[in-house]
Amino acid sequence: MNAFKRKSVKTVLAAVLGTSMVLLAACSNSSNNGAEAGNSDYGNPTDGYKDNLNISIASTTKTANSDFDNEFHKYFTDKFNIKWDYNYVEWDSWAEKLRLWINSGDLPDVASWNYVHGDALNYIDQGLLYKLPDNWKERWPSVAAAYKLTGLGDKLEELVGGTYVLPRPVYNENKPADPLVNQIGVIALRADWAKAVGFPLKDAYTTSELMEFARLLKEKDPGKVGANLVPISYDVNDALTNIIMANSAHSRVESAFYKDADGKYQWGPANQETLTGLKDLQQAYKEGLLHPEFYTWKNGEANQKFNVNGVSGVTSLGGLASYRKDMDQRLKDNLGLNSDDMVHTAIVLGDDGKYRNLEQANFWSAVIFSPNISKEKFERIMDFMEYTTAKEGNLIVNMGFEGKDWKYGDNQELESLLPEGTTLDKKYPNRFEGLYVLADDFSIINPGIKKQYRERSVQLFKEKAELGVKDKSLADYDWDFQLYDSKAKNQASFDYATEYTNLILQPGDLEKNWNDWVNSKKSLVQPVLDELNNLKK
């Protein structure tokens, strides 16, 4: 995913990433420890690493002490002769926790950090992050190749004169479409309910069409859930993605400041397109198409209405096949339903029929190291990262063990050997060992995910890219803006999901309230526009 909710990026990016792995990767290529890259055998205890190292790590994957005794986790700790001092970080407190650790000098040896460019520059300037050796790319080539694909790595090096941050690539070998568009903006709807009320199944719906489906559900209640019905189950971030952004590509924090056709920077939340999205959102709320307390939901409550309680007709899903797999399992576990018969996925268009999304830079979050880390620990972690970024280790991280959990089938295609109903996450709980390349990449080819889910995911990625190019409606990834830092820019970074929700809940005329809100932000927004527009002069 990316620097926005991936649930961005959910954001998308997110519900989703809380359940995803904080990926770790490495190679046994160190001249000091005698191990040779690509030359290790399963079960070879230390691969030449003589000293057992206790390495502290910060991750958003929740683990239990018992996890480290299972075969999967033990394979890696034995192979690299390490013991993890594991520091779990709550998703909601991730940014603040890392900020406190970094500024106080208490950062664990290695951590996954939700990259913020201005903070990165400040931390580097203050000596709060470890600087990688100048020759690191030669020694750890698989990590270096994946790092180059992020774009951010090379650009940051130009600014600071070295490598202090390893941006994590969303895609390494399995990029699904070009241009790369964020995975957010995919919804799931109840296909069986749609059939019952005569609503067509399509690859793309306008926001107004989805609202019409919700009205039909309210009128006919095909699921017989009565007062528990939640026609559209979105939280505030889902509403921003699938209602407001669908109508206004520059309504999100990642794309709010953008260059217009004349090359002049503008502020997207002040556009009429954003007002269109706000009107749709308010209408959906007033008609009861959304839950009356949707703005209070946190931690996946919106999705639970769909796949746990079975009372919702539409929910935000995101475009990764792994998300679809998770939904399938939850519907089986909680409701005893076969989701293949009752879930349809699609992308969301604006009311004008155009597709909008964010062009995605190929990174989300980053790996950082304590400035106090020892050379030996740093090299061991990098060896680990090299191994799990390269083919052999990457397969183990994502598939388990060859011959036990998977095999090569016809035409060297991967085949899962796990029994029906068993997943790698169930067999080896709370895997965090893919520290570098994000799981999105492998999900494109993972045979543990049904082929139909993988193919549908890629199909929708390609359709997003094609429509975005045809409609010229994607928010371009602007490196000039993204790598620009100033006090004014930092002060003008708003929580747009909350701001928009407050607007649609306010009494009175929405357009007037929106105009008043736009004017109230001018004192913070205009200095940023002035700075950005002076950059090119």
Side-chain angles (χ1 to χ4, degrees):
M1 321 209 149
N2 36 49
F4 37 82
K5 188 188 174 222
R6 290 241 343 43
K7 173 171 92 275
S8 253
V9 288
K10 45 202 283 211
T11 37
V12 66
L13 273 132
V16 173
L17 285 169
T19 59
S20 68
M21 305 165 276
V22 177
L23 304 175
L24 232 161
C27 135
S28 39
N29 188 23
S30 167
S31 59
N32 293 336
N33 59 41
E36 294 180 4
N39 221 8
S40 54
D41 298 321
Y42 297 142
N44 187 1
T46 63
D47 281 10
Y49 296 96
K50 294 180 180 179
D51 297 327
N52 182 267
L53 298 180
N54 191 313
I55 296 175
S56 57
I57 179 173
S59 163
T60 56
T61 300
K62 190 172 186 178
T63 63
N65 288 334
S66 59
D67 292 337
F68 293 96
D69 294 327
N70 77 37
E71 179 185 7
F72 182 90
H73 296 283
K74 196 169 185 300
Y75 169 77
F76 287 103
T77 54
D78 285 354
K79 181 175 180 62
F80 290 91
N81 200 11
I82 55 179
K83 181 178 180 181
W84 294 116
D85 173 9
Y86 195 87
N87 298 269
Y88 168 60
V89 183
E90 291 276 2
W91 185 262
D92 291 342
S93 62
W94 185 21
E96 185 58 28
K97 189 77 168 180
L98 268 290
R99 185 175 295 115
L100 288 172
W101 276 340
I102 293 169
N103 283 306
S104 64
D106 293 325
L107 184 67
D109 293 321
V110 61
S112 178
W113 174 51
N114 196 7
Y115 182 84
V116 176
H117 184 64
D119 288 348
L121 296 181
N122 291 332
Y123 297 152
I124 292 167
D125 186 57
Q126 296 175 61
L128 298 176
L129 300 179
Y130 180 81
K131 182 181 180 183
L132 277 65
D134 292 341
N135 67 344
W136 76 267
K137 294 176 185 176
E138 288 72 39
R139 180 162 170 179
W140 296 288
S142 295
V143 175
Y147 168 90
K148 187 171 183 60
L149 294 174
T150 68
L152 175 62
D154 288 341
K155 290 183 178 294
L156 189 56
E157 282 183 31
E158 293 174 10
L159 291 175
V160 299
T163 307
Y164 296 82
V165 174
L166 297 176
R168 298 175 63 194
V170 181
Y171 299 103
N172 187 24
E173 297 179 346
N174 300 296
K175 185 178 177 182
D178 191 17
L180 185 59
V181 176
N182 195 275
Q183 57 86 13
I184 59 177
V186 172
I187 54 95
L189 60 81
R190 286 290 297 260
D192 52 342
W193 292 3
K195 182 178 179 180
V197 300
F199 187 74
L201 297 181
K202 303 192 296 183
D203 290 338
Y205 298 98
T206 66
T207 48
S208 294
E209 285 176 321
L210 289 177
M211 289 168 64
E212 181 56 35
F213 177 50
R215 293 185 186 105
L216 290 171
L217 296 182
K218 281 193 69 177
E219 176 188 348
K220 300 184 178 182
D221 190 14
K224 309 301 180 189
V225 295
N228 293 320
L229 177 67
V230 182
I232 299 176
S233 186
Y234 292 163
D235 62 21
V236 294
N237 292 299
D238 301 328
L240 169 53
T241 296
N242 299 304
I243 297 180
I244 298 178
M245 187 195 76
N247 287 285
S248 178
H250 298 288
S251 58
R252 295 177 60 100
V253 66
E254 304 87 0
S255 58
F257 292 93
Y258 71 100
K259 292 177 186 174
D260 64 16
D262 297 324
K264 186 176 181 179
Y265 278 96
Q266 305 289 349
W267 189 53
N271 291 349
Q272 285 293 315
E273 291 178 336
T274 300
L275 178 59
T276 297
L278 286 168
K279 287 179 177 178
D280 279 352
L281 178 57
Q282 187 179 70
Q283 187 67 32
Y285 183 72
K286 284 184 173 181
E287 288 189 36
L289 308 182
L290 299 169
H291 191 277
E293 296 181 353
F294 84 101
Y295 50 87
T296 68
W297 284 348
K298 298 182 183 301
N299 300 321
E301 289 181 78
N303 293 129
Q304 290 171 14
K305 297 296 182 185
F306 190 95
N307 56 36
V308 175
N309 307 117
V311 298
S312 175
V314 179
T315 195
S316 185
L317 180 65
L320 301 182
S322 57
Y323 301 167
R324 181 65 180 87
K325 172 192 171 186
D326 290 344
M327 173 174 277
D328 177 66
Q329 194 62 49
R330 289 191 178 97
L331 284 164
K332 285 179 182 175
D333 293 344
N334 296 300
L335 299 170
L337 294 175
N338 178 0
S339 74
D340 294 352
D341 299 330
M342 44 79 68
V343 172
H344 177 70
T345 57
I347 61 177
V348 186
L349 311 175
D351 283 342
D352 58 3
K354 291 184 177 181
Y355 177 73
R356 296 174 179 85
N357 202 318
L358 313 175
E359 184 183 1
Q360 179 178 323
N362 190 28
F363 77 91
W364 179 79
S365 77
V367 173
I368 54 176
F369 302 91
S370 166
N372 302 314
I373 192 172
S374 69
K375 180 173 182 286
E376 187 179 19
K377 286 186 179 182
F378 167 74
E379 291 179 346
R380 191 75 59 90
I381 295 167
M382 289 297 292
D383 285 353
F384 194 118
M385 290 177 62
E386 178 75 11
Y387 178 69
T388 53
T389 299
K391 184 176 182 180
E392 179 183 290
N394 187 251
L395 282 172
I396 296 172
V397 164
N398 291 288
M399 291 289 293
F401 302 108
E402 184 178 5
K404 179 179 292 186
D405 301 314
W406 63 276
K407 69 176 183 178
Y408 285 110
D410 296 337
N411 300 319
Q412 288 296 292
E413 290 186 0
L414 298 171
E415 292 183 8
S416 175
L417 296 177
L418 296 176
E420 181 69 28
T422 300
T423 65
L424 206 63
D425 291 325
K426 287 185 176 180
K427 187 173 182 180
Y428 309 119
N430 304 319
R431 294 171 297 123
F432 64 88
E433 283 82 356
L435 182 64
Y436 197 48
V437 178
L438 292 171
D440 307 41
D441 180 67
F442 196 81
S443 72
I444 302 294
I445 61 170
N446 188 347
I449 300 173
K450 287 183 181 180
K451 187 176 182 180
Q452 69 196 72
Y453 298 167
R454 288 184 276 132
E455 289 180 343
R456 180 64 171 172
S457 173
V458 172
Q459 177 190 351
L460 292 181
F461 263 112
K462 291 184 181 302
E463 184 160 349
K464 287 179 176 186
E466 291 171 3
L467 289 175
V469 170
K470 177 180 74 69
D471 294 336
K472 298 180 180 180
S473 53
L474 296 180
D476 295 335
Y477 194 85
D478 181 356
W479 284 106
D480 289 338
F481 170 75
Q482 298 294 341
L483 298 185
Y484 177 71
D485 183 55
S486 73
K487 181 179 180 180
K489 180 185 174 185
N490 294 334
Q491 290 177 329
S493 181
F494 309 114
D495 179 355
Y496 288 105
T498 299
E499 297 272 357
Y500 294 147
T501 303
N502 288 338
L503 277 173
I504 68 107
L505 295 176
Q506 281 182 25
D509 179 70
L510 175 61
E511 185 165 357
K512 179 183 183 302
N513 291 338
W514 170 71
N515 278 316
D516 290 345
W517 175 78
V518 169
N519 288 330
S520 75
K521 300 298 185 184
K522 278 187 177 179
S523 63
L524 294 173
V525 168
Q526 193 59 49
V528 184
L529 294 174
D530 292 342
E531 289 179 0
L532 292 170
N533 285 317
N534 286 327
L535 280 178
K536 57 192 177 72
K537 292 182 179 179

